[in-house]
Amino acid sequence: MRPMTIRTARETDYDAIAEALQSWWTQPGFDTPAAARERAALVPRLWLQHFAGTSAVAERDGKLVGFLVAFFSADRPDEGYIHFVGVSPSARGEGIGRALYERFFALCSAAERRRVRCVTTPGNEVSLRFHLAMGFAVDGGDAKPDYDGPGVARIAFVRELDAP
Ligand SMILES: CC(C)(COP(=O)(O)OP(=O)(O)OC[C@H]1O[C@@H](n2cnc3c(N)ncnc32)[C@H](O)[C@@H]1OP(=O)(O)O)[C@@H](O)C(=O)NCCC(=O)NCCS
């Protein structure tokens, strides 16, 4: 992997993350203005105001190349949840996504959170393959219809963490 640093996110990272949400999703179907608006709505500034401590950014030469927005579940004391992840198209396949996830797994383990969940949109094949490579299983074995409202299916992932 080329030199890169990963650190805890801060609210001041929000502008760079918002810009990345507009421009990094290059897969067909995810590269439309409507899809970019939907991502922007999914990650408003509040995530960096209230969940920065469990979120992370990857930087190279002072520039954002990856981010992970995640939190410890308030209602499920043994779970962590990854809300969003992105790696710059020019930095994919280098292990940055893996490093961001493993950092969060370590935070969860240290906080005695034994399970991590996240969801993705059916059709996002890269995301599906990435999560399977990261040791996630598809909860229920298939996409869940109407998971996030009428007509909005999701694939729900779950990964058990090893006991330390
Ligand atoms: C998904 C994403 C975060 C992966 O980041 P990345 O830094 O390229 O991934 P890594 O290099 O760390 O790869 C980690 C593992 O996932 C696998 N993987 C990553 N991209 C893959 C692809 N396109 N096809 C198949 N496997 C892939 C790798 O093989 C690797 O497995 P290994 O370590 O066992 O070899 C990145 O492609 C991305 O930002 N995509 C667009 C945004 C998105 O779809 N986010 C997820 C849904 S919100």
Side-chain angles (χ1 to χ4, degrees), residues 40-129:
L42 284 168
V43 192
R45 181 177 291 269
L46 72 86
W47 285 95
L48 277 297
Q49 291 172 324
H50 298 280
F51 301 98
T54 45
S55 300
V57 297
E59 293 175 314
R60 179 173 284 148
D61 301 326
K63 218 169 154 267
L64 187 79
V65 289
F67 67 91
L68 174 134
V69 175
F71 60 95
F72 293 160
S73 171
D75 287 353
R76 300 181 182 186
D78 55 344
E79 293 192 4
Y81 190 92
I82 296 174
H83 176 58
F84 237 82
V85 63
V87 171
S88 164
S90 63
R92 288 188 190 152
E94 295 185 31
I96 295 175
R98 174 176 284 281
L100 288 165
Y101 266 52
E102 287 181 347
R103 184 182 188 278
F104 184 64
F105 295 164
L107 282 186
C108 285
S109 291
E112 300 188 350
R113 304 227 168 209
R114 303 274 174 254
R115 189 174 306 112
V116 176
R117 292 185 187 273
C118 51
V119 301
T120 200
T121 305
N124 189 344
E125 286 302 316
V126 171
S127 177
L128 175 63
R129 287 176 194 284

